[in-house]
Amino acid sequence: MREDMKSVIADTFSQMLEKEDIDKITVTKLIGECRISRQTFYYHFKDIMDVLDWTFRESMKELVNKSLEADDPVGALTTFVSYVRRHKVKLERLLYSRRWAQIEGLLVDSATSYLAEMVHYRMTDVPISYEDMEVTLRFYAYGMTGILLQYVGKPHLDEERLVLQVEKIITGRMFPGKQE
């Protein structure tokens, strides 16, 4: 029941985010929409940003599962980009929040988790240290987050081309050259 109530709160929050900016969503408004007590809310979450964080983490779990069903990395990236595109209204509402720095951190953390799971399940024998992997994943997470926020709202975005471009960057084929 606990996870169900967390999901109810998060789903209601997500629906509210479709209609209004996160800065206008208060705990009072959210509990009113959910028809729950303040005590119930605080049993499950610390504040609105905690709801957003939990929502991102749950969304990434779902996205990882869908991406793992893809036949190849391009298919997985297509799943990721399509997911972001479907949620662009919410992302745009988050972009202009006064809490943007914190939100950006949550987005990058989510993208890092996504990439880490993809590497874990798709590339089991990567010869790289933990520290190097961590830096690499954060680098790509920041890059993917930035690119997607920049391009996903474009009305005439060629999603397939963007996916191929990101895949070429990740694999190092965008700038081929002598590797030392």
Side-chain angles (χ1 to χ4, degrees), residues 107-167:
L107 285 169
V108 170
D109 288 347
S110 294
T112 303
S113 295
Y114 172 83
L115 291 170
E117 289 295 316
M118 296 309 294
V119 167
H120 175 75
Y121 286 105
R122 294 236 181 216
M123 305 168 73
T124 55
D125 60 343
V126 178
I128 188 171
S129 72
Y130 176 81
E131 292 83 11
D132 288 347
M133 178 63 77
E134 188 176 336
V135 169
T136 302
L137 291 174
R138 296 297 281 181
F139 177 83
Y140 284 122
Y142 269 99
M144 284 176 59
T145 301
I147 290 293
L148 291 174
L149 290 174
Q150 178 71 36
Y151 289 104
V152 86
K154 304 277 188 211
H156 303 293
L157 174 69
D158 183 344
E159 200 171 297
E160 187 176 325
R161 182 173 180 191
L162 179 61
V163 165
L164 292 174
Q165 289 170 319
V166 170
E167 190 268 342

Side-chain angles (χ1 to χ4, degrees), residues 2-175:
R2 288 183 191 161
E3 287 299 310
D4 290 344
M5 182 51 67
K6 282 185 101 153
S7 293
V8 167
I9 295 168
D11 291 346
T12 303
F13 169 78
S14 188
Q15 291 167 7
M16 291 174 75
L17 195 55
E18 288 276 345
K19 301 173 195 150
E20 60 187 310
D21 295 341
I22 189 171
D23 294 333
K24 294 181 181 175
I25 300 173
T26 62
V27 171
T28 302
K29 279 186 177 180
L30 183 54
I31 64 175
E33 288 287 321
C34 292
R35 298 175 196 218
I36 60 172
S37 69
R38 186 170 289 277
Q39 182 179 355
T40 300
F41 176 84
Y42 285 112
Y43 179 79
H44 296 288
F45 296 104
K46 294 184 299 189
D47 55 22
I48 293 294
M49 293 306 290
D50 193 29
V51 178
L52 182 62
D53 180 41
W54 191 82
T55 302
F56 280 171
R57 284 186 279 119
E58 290 301 303
S59 295
M60 281 304 120
K61 288 178 191 174
E62 176 187 329
L63 189 52
V64 164
N65 290 334
K66 287 181 181 176
S67 294
L68 289 173
E69 293 172 4
D71 294 332
D72 57 20
V74 171
L77 275 171
T78 299
T79 300
F80 187 88
V81 171
S82 295
Y83 182 88
V84 171
R85 180 101 173 185
R86 278 193 315 276
H87 295 280
K88 79 179 184 97
V89 169
K90 292 181 231 177
L91 287 170
E92 287 171 345
R93 291 194 181 280
L94 294 173
L95 269 174
Y96 302 106
S97 170
R98 66 178 185 267
R99 303 178 226 179
W100 172 245
Q102 189 178 1
I103 292 168
E104 180 184 38
L106 294 176
L107 285 169
V108 170
D109 288 347
S110 294
T112 303
S113 295
Y114 172 83
L115 291 170
E117 289 295 316
M118 296 309 294
V119 167
H120 175 75
Y121 286 105
R122 294 236 181 216
M123 305 168 73
T124 55
D125 60 343
V126 178
I128 188 171
S129 72
Y130 176 81
E131 292 83 11
D132 288 347
M133 178 63 77
E134 188 176 336
V135 169
T136 302
L137 291 174
R138 296 297 281 181
F139 177 83
Y140 284 122
Y142 269 99
M144 284 176 59
T145 301
I147 290 293
L148 291 174
L149 290 174
Q150 178 71 36
Y151 289 104
V152 86
K154 304 277 188 211
H156 303 293
L157 174 69
D158 183 344
E159 200 171 297
E160 187 176 325
R161 182 173 180 191
L162 179 61
V163 165
L164 292 174
Q165 289 170 319
V166 170
E167 190 268 342
K168 284 168 67 177
I169 291 168
I170 289 173
T171 60
R173 292 183 300 120
M174 181 67 85
F175 301 106

